Amino acid sequence: MAEKQRGLTYAQAGVDIDAGNRMVELIKPLVRATARPGADAEIGGFGGVFDLKRVGYRDPVLVAATDGVGTKLKVAVDTGRHDTIGIDLVAMSVNDLVVQGAEPLFFLDYYACGKLEPEIGAAVVAGISIGCREAGCALIGGETAEMPGVYQGDDYDLAGFAVGAVERDALLPRADITEGDVILGLASSGIHSNGYSLVRKVVEKTGLPWTAEAPFASEQSLGEAILTPTRIYVKACLNAIRETKAVKGLAHITGGGFPDNIPRVLPKGLAARIDLTRVRVPSVFRWLASEGHIAQNEMLRTFNCGIGMIAIASPKEADAVAKAFARAGETVVTLGNICKAADDARVVYDSKLDLG
């Protein structure tokens, strides 16, 4: 009697469970490297566990954030460089936590692709591990989804989820932000993870391949320079908050730039007055503005233009806050001050941005 023909398998449908298991084994040491008080950073269970009691908070409030890295992923795929995009993923969420005064405690990731390549997935998680260590949080879990037919070719997607804690009476922004307070800016590392649809449009317009030397960065390819990871400000911000007790508010300058992000931490009736001559514009932004013929206001609403985080302090305490940031390794500039809002304008600019 002839043996019946074997039926279809999951692997024939495009999902390789064995590849998923190989990736788990590859990333286990990367995950363990993020262990911290409250979490042993082991994976393999149905959920990650964090012991909040071990951290020592007396009256904690939990703060949660989630984000991705947008079409910067496309640059990583097109260049075949996957080792830094995980840093961006962590940065985008933990920088949002710290602006509320929260210490990031743990992180989870979601990685989805059409066909799982364990080595690529492990490279992505290696970056996530680096980012978690920079932010001081544990990578306690995640999900890898292989979805043929949803993602094409080498494309994949990433999402990140971070949870932090802050004492209830230390939540930011503080209610005492007032007219005359000083606005400090912390330098960015470059484009970070916003505006990449426009970045890719500019690069396409120039006709330059990702392997070409970056016109704005010697000894780097265009792809390498454009993929410079998002700066993680967590430890510097927590240091300034705890050391000075004078930080009234923080704003993460992401998509929407100054005009959309700074007002999120300001009381009604107040605005930010920014002296644009104080912004040290990195060469990558000058190049994008020139090649794309991008107007100043469009640059300011699409990109960080050189300032990735702002801090607000009283005039008497601003110098101490600035020095605390500097001791933590940040480049700090005084950008302006808080003023009364006129009409609907919540961010007012003096002078012009130096776009060369």
Side-chain angles (χ1 to χ4, degrees):
M1 183 173 174
E3 185 180 345
K4 289 184 179 180
Q5 186 176 359
R6 294 182 62 188
L8 286 172
T9 66
Y10 208 7
Q12 288 172 324
V15 178
D16 189 342
I17 295 175
D18 291 333
N21 290 335
R22 286 199 304 275
M23 179 173 160
V24 169
E25 292 305 312
L26 287 171
I27 67 175
K28 277 184 177 180
L30 301 171
V31 174
R32 290 190 191 108
T34 70
R36 56 151 292 156
D40 59 12
E42 288 288 340
I43 57 172
F46 287 95
V49 175
F50 191 94
D51 183 357
L52 192 58
K53 187 176 181 180
R54 285 186 58 196
V55 187
Y57 286 96
R58 51 182 173 75
D59 184 22
V61 174
L62 294 179
V63 183
T66 183
D67 210 338
V69 296
T71 60
K72 190 171 187 176
L73 274 176
K74 189 64 176 170
V75 183
V77 171
D78 289 348
T79 60
R81 297 183 61 90
H82 309 282
D83 56 337
T84 60
I85 202 74
I87 301 173
D88 293 292
L89 185 68
V90 175
M92 295 305 288
S93 286
V94 297
N95 284 341
D96 279 353
L97 291 185
V98 80
V99 300
Q100 294 183 263
E103 171 193 4
L105 300 177
F106 59 87
F107 188 85
L108 300 98
D109 70 279
Y110 175 78
Y111 174 89
C113 58
K115 177 175 173 54
L116 182 60
E117 299 288 350
E119 288 72 22
I120 292 176
V124 172
V125 176
I128 293 172
S129 176
I130 292 169
C132 284
R133 297 199 302 272
E134 286 187 17
C137 61
L139 177 58
I140 65 169
E143 171 67 7
T144 300
E146 192 173 16
M147 299 190 289
V150 175
Y151 297 94
Q152 306 302 319
D154 295 328
D155 286 345
Y156 60 87
D157 200 7
L158 288 174
F161 312 88
V163 174
V166 57
E167 298 289 4
R168 191 180 305 272
D169 58 7
L171 269 168
L172 295 180
R174 283 169 26 182
D176 61 344
I177 294 175
T178 189
E179 185 180 2
D181 281 347
V182 175
I183 300 171
L184 303 172
L186 308 185
S188 70
S189 57
I191 306 172
H192 286 185
S193 297
N194 298 103
Y196 272 80
S197 293
L198 182 53
V199 170
R200 290 167 49 242
K201 195 73 174 176
V202 171
V203 172
E204 180 184 348
K205 177 178 174 291
T206 66
L208 288 171
W210 294 116
T211 53
E213 183 176 85
F216 52 85
S218 60
E219 300 182 1
Q220 275 191 304
S221 71
L222 180 59
E224 289 171 334
I226 292 295
L227 284 172
T228 299
T230 306
R231 188 165 182 81
I232 294 176
Y233 297 98
V234 169
K235 291 182 178 178
C237 287
L238 291 176
N239 178 72
I241 291 168
R242 293 165 178 171
E243 182 181 317
T244 69
K245 296 179 172 54
V247 176
K248 291 187 175 185
L250 295 165
H252 185 199
I253 307 303
T254 57
F258 288 158
D260 285 2
N261 288 293
I262 298 177
R264 296 166 70 178
V265 301
L266 299 182
K268 289 183 180 179
L270 294 180
R273 179 173 291 278
I274 304 292
D275 181 355
L276 292 177
T277 63
R278 300 290 185 91
V279 178
R280 300 171 187 173
V281 182
S283 56
V284 62
F285 295 114
R286 293 193 181 113
W287 181 78
L288 287 167
S290 175
E291 293 293 336
H293 304 289
I294 306 171
Q296 173 180 283
N297 285 349
E298 186 70 14
M299 290 292 296
L300 285 165
R301 200 174 184 194
T302 305
F303 302 112
N304 66 67
C305 293
I307 299 295
M309 182 74 72
I310 71 109
I312 300 170
S314 72
K316 291 182 179 179
E317 297 172 312
D319 186 57
V321 171
K323 287 178 178 176
F325 277 118
R327 282 193 296 273
E330 299 298 332
T331 300
V332 191
V333 294
T334 301
L335 292 176
N337 54 66
I338 303 299
C339 61
K340 288 183 179 178
D343 302 321
D344 293 328
R346 303 297 304 282
V347 178
V348 182
Y349 301 123
D350 289 333
S351 194
K352 291 184 177 181
L353 202 61
D354 180 14
L355 294 172

